[in-house]
Amino acid sequence: MYSGFHIKKACTASHRRSCNHIRPADYIIFAAVMLAVFELTFNTLGRCLSDLLSELLQFLTLQLALFLSSFNINPAFYDLVINGICPGVGSVLSFIPVIAVLFFLLGLLQETGYLSKVSILMDRPLKHAGLAGSCIIPLIMGFGCAVPAIMYTASMNTVPHRSLINTIRLIPFMSCSARLPVYSMLISCFFPEHRITVLLSIYAAGILTAAAAAFVLRIFPSAQPCSGRLAAAYTPEYHMPDMSRVISLVCENILGFVKKAFTVIFTASVLIWFLQSYSFDIQPVSSGDDSMLASMGLICAPIFAPLGFGSWKAAAAVISGLFAKEAIISTLVVTSSSSAASAGIPPMMALAEIFDPLSAFSFMIFCLLYMPCIATLSAVRSVTGSWRESIIMAVLHLLIAWSIAFIVYNVGTFIISLI
């Protein structure tokens, strides 16, 4: 869905010597740069723009509801549009500014040549995990979307095969932008005063999990550590960014995001509305608790109860996330719309019936780590040439996600009981 980042190659011998000169302050600068990116994206500029767009979409939904009511539209069609499609698609579209700000900032870092510096900077740490410094590039791309990040690894011909395979396995641990709406919604509802702290902890959990997985993968005999010489093939030549390329990157990713919202999310919203509005004998239900979706969610709910979110609505959201992570938020919003409407509150506020702060955090951790979407698994199959790697990845990610979310929720519950 989303495009990747390019790294300029070929440098002189003098450049190679300068590339290998890494100062401790460079790591501090890197941390500061990434913190600034997060702050601008999620707590200031991106959040303000997202709130404005959300208010606009709510106003348009209200106007559409008045328009349909004036024509005495069939109640089922009215409910589908106003309580199904609009909340599902609109909830995802409201986070376009967040995606735009994130890719604009990453585009600036790319065009100034800083990402080339990062690949060299991370060569030594990644070498201990059996990866080349240049492997940091697809890992960073994974914060945008895992699909192009995985496809990018196919072009890294100078990196050992085992290192590339391990990089592919680690990319889904990087929190892609498709998960941002899920984090933003739950953080806004349960952690409004600690947005950046909670968000950074989620991203840190993904990075730390990837680091632990990298060291585990390295213990296998075929996991050959890299010598570190590959990083010298890249040069950190700093230059003024080409704003046309930055804007092109942002537009390309926004268009991809919107296209997905009006295809996958639209389809998912309609399907979710149908499943929660009808029973298995295709009869309309007065309560979502009697629907097909509730029945399917109730079957899976016991699996997630030890993680703190044993509601059928949360289980249904997890299932829909297998198709696209953006579908998680649309499922939660659509399934909460009816109860929210009866209570006269926004759908997002109805999430308090599904989660408390601790279970919401556990849910975000699970969404961060559990099996990648179908598109990502297809990309893995395309690059590796085998579905075996995709199946192994899906199973391992699911087990890791469940285990870590279980620890987070139960340790958190224990700590709260002591307070």
Side-chain angles (χ1 to χ4, degrees), residues 242-277:
D242 183 344
M243 295 307 297
S244 64
R245 294 181 64 90
V246 175
I247 298 301
S248 176
L249 176 68
V250 173
C251 292
E252 181 180 349
N253 285 277
I254 290 301
L255 288 176
F257 188 82
V258 171
K259 180 180 178 181
K260 195 170 187 178
F262 280 104
T263 53
V264 176
I265 306 306
F266 178 87
T267 304
S269 297
V270 173
L271 179 61
I272 292 163
W273 172 86
F274 176 78
L275 292 176
Q276 78 147 4
S277 299

Side-chain angles (χ1 to χ4, degrees), residues 157-381:
N157 299 323
T158 58
V159 178
H161 176 72
R162 185 63 183 183
S163 182
L164 286 181
I165 292 297
N166 287 347
T167 301
I168 291 172
R169 292 169 175 170
L170 299 178
I171 286 172
F173 287 119
M174 305 297 106
S175 185
C176 68
S177 57
R179 295 177 172 94
L180 292 182
V182 182
Y183 305 152
S184 299
M185 180 181 68
L186 293 176
I187 289 174
S188 297
C189 291
F190 297 100
F191 309 98
E193 303 299 325
H194 306 282
R195 294 174 185 266
I196 289 298
T197 301
V198 174
L199 194 64
L200 284 176
S201 66
I202 294 171
Y203 275 79
I207 294 171
L208 291 175
T209 303
F215 282 102
V216 171
L217 291 172
R218 194 188 182 203
I219 67 176
F220 292 96
S222 56
Q224 302 171 355
C226 297
S227 64
R229 66 183 184 280
L230 298 171
Y234 300 91
T235 174
E237 294 180 338
Y238 297 116
H239 44 78
M240 291 297 295
D242 183 344
M243 295 307 297
S244 64
R245 294 181 64 90
V246 175
I247 298 301
S248 176
L249 176 68
V250 173
C251 292
E252 181 180 349
N253 285 277
I254 290 301
L255 288 176
F257 188 82
V258 171
K259 180 180 178 181
K260 195 170 187 178
F262 280 104
T263 53
V264 176
I265 306 306
F266 178 87
T267 304
S269 297
V270 173
L271 179 61
I272 292 163
W273 172 86
F274 176 78
L275 292 176
Q276 78 147 4
S277 299
Y278 292 87
S279 60
F280 280 105
D281 55 1
I282 318 299
Q283 295 296 320
V285 296
S286 57
S287 171
D289 294 337
D290 302 321
S291 65
M292 290 184 281
L293 185 61
S295 299
M296 292 185 289
L298 286 171
I299 295 174
C300 301
I303 299 174
F304 305 112
L307 313 184
F309 45 94
S311 166
W312 68 265
K313 296 178 181 179
V318 170
I319 295 172
S320 65
L322 299 177
F323 300 94
K325 292 299 182 281
E326 300 96 331
I328 295 174
I329 183 175
S330 61
T331 303
L332 290 174
V333 172
V334 171
T335 54
S336 301
S337 293
S338 57
S339 59
S342 61
I345 59 176
M348 290 187 182
M349 298 302 295
L351 293 176
E353 299 177 359
I354 306 175
F355 305 103
D356 57 35
L358 180 57
S359 63
F361 186 78
S362 173
F363 183 79
M364 288 187 284
I365 292 294
F366 185 84
C367 291
L368 162 72
L369 301 174
Y370 89 113
M371 59 185 293
C373 64
I374 292 176
T376 300
L377 296 177
S378 297
V380 173
R381 190 268 173 197

Side-chain angles (χ1 to χ4, degrees), residues 52-73:
L52 290 174
L53 182 56
S54 179
E55 292 177 3
L56 175 61
L57 291 172
Q58 290 177 12
F59 173 77
L60 294 177
T61 299
L62 177 60
Q63 296 304 310
L64 179 60
L66 294 174
F67 176 77
L68 294 177
S69 297
S70 66
F71 286 92
N72 295 320
I73 296 295

